[in-house]
Amino acid sequence: MKSNNTNQIIFPEDLTDPFSEYLLVNYAPISLFLTESLDILYTNGNLEEFLKIPKAIARMNIYKMMDRKTALVFEDGVRLALSSQDIHEYEEVLFRKGEQEIKANLSFQQASLEKVDNPIVLVAIKPLSAVAKKVNKKVSKVSREDLINHRIQYLENTLVEKEQQMQLL
């Protein structure tokens, strides 16, 4: 749903079920949608580490929320994303907030949303510390052949169990 103000988009609160919340927390990157003029339309995740979030919000703009050098990376990423359909990645971008510094990888890509008329850009922020944390989880890749073999093994085991149950009757 779009409001009359072209810089403000109102989304329904339909992602409050536990499944959507789990997916957003565990699989969606920290991200934000920006306009061409670097106004923030929507955010996902904890951006407190990266941005200076104002106490009272009238209009959120990247230039007001971070140092100029980092904001220039955002300006360049948005410009490139709006000029092509490619994903543009920036590695080890330094964010400074007070005495705190954190590095993150950024990706910028043009986003076409059905109910949004203006061009917008999705920015995904992948903190380098978060990348290190996720290394602890083992990711196993299953080939199609392995999937078929696992399924055959499961069906064979199920057949044996059912035959044993039938013999007991």
Side-chain angles (χ1 to χ4, degrees):
M1 164 187 317
K2 189 170 177 185
S3 72
N4 292 336
N5 179 349
T6 57
N7 287 329
Q8 182 182 7
I9 298 173
I10 301 168
F11 290 93
E13 297 296 323
D14 59 354
L15 295 177
T16 55
D17 66 274
F19 304 106
S20 296
E21 184 177 334
Y22 179 84
L23 290 172
L24 286 171
V25 168
N26 292 291
Y27 294 99
I30 297 170
S31 53
L32 53 144
F33 285 96
L34 298 176
T35 64
E36 190 171 11
S37 59
L38 303 182
D39 291 326
I40 299 173
L41 298 175
Y42 183 87
T43 66
N44 177 61
N46 182 6
L47 289 163
E48 293 278 334
E49 291 181 84
F50 307 98
L51 305 177
K52 297 173 189 164
I53 307 291
K55 299 220 184 283
I57 301 172
R59 182 175 177 183
M60 293 197 315
N61 186 281
I62 288 296
Y63 275 110
K64 296 177 183 176
M65 303 174 82
M66 63 179 60
D67 66 86
R68 181 155 175 74
K69 188 174 181 180
T70 308
L72 288 172
V73 173
F74 276 76
E75 183 178 307
D76 188 59
V78 166
R79 182 185 52 77
L80 287 173
L82 291 174
S83 68
S84 73
Q85 294 298 317
D86 296 340
I87 297 173
H88 303 276
E89 295 185 340
Y90 294 76
E91 294 182 340
E92 297 187 18
V93 175
L94 183 64
F95 289 84
R96 289 185 182 93
K97 186 177 176 187
E99 296 295 317
Q100 183 182 1
E101 291 184 347
I102 186 169
K103 286 185 180 179
N105 294 337
L106 307 177
S107 66
F108 294 79
Q109 67 183 42
Q110 193 173 142
S112 298
L113 299 178
E114 194 174 295
K115 297 179 181 180
V116 180
D117 298 331
N118 299 334
I120 59 172
V121 173
L122 170 62
V123 182
I125 302 172
K126 297 171 189 138
L128 294 180
S129 57
V131 172
K133 288 179 191 171
K134 289 191 177 185
V135 171
N136 296 335
K137 284 192 175 182
K138 182 181 177 189
V139 176
S140 61
K141 295 186 179 183
V142 180
S143 69
R144 181 163 172 72
E145 183 179 332
D146 289 342
L147 177 64
I148 291 169
N149 289 336
H150 290 158
R151 184 68 181 157
I152 290 170
Q153 185 66 46
Y154 169 78
L155 290 172
E156 286 176 349
N157 290 341
T158 304
L159 181 61
V160 169
E161 288 175 15
K162 294 297 178 187
E163 285 176 345
Q164 289 173 350
Q165 288 176 357
M166 292 294 286
Q167 287 178 353
L168 293 175
L169 294 176

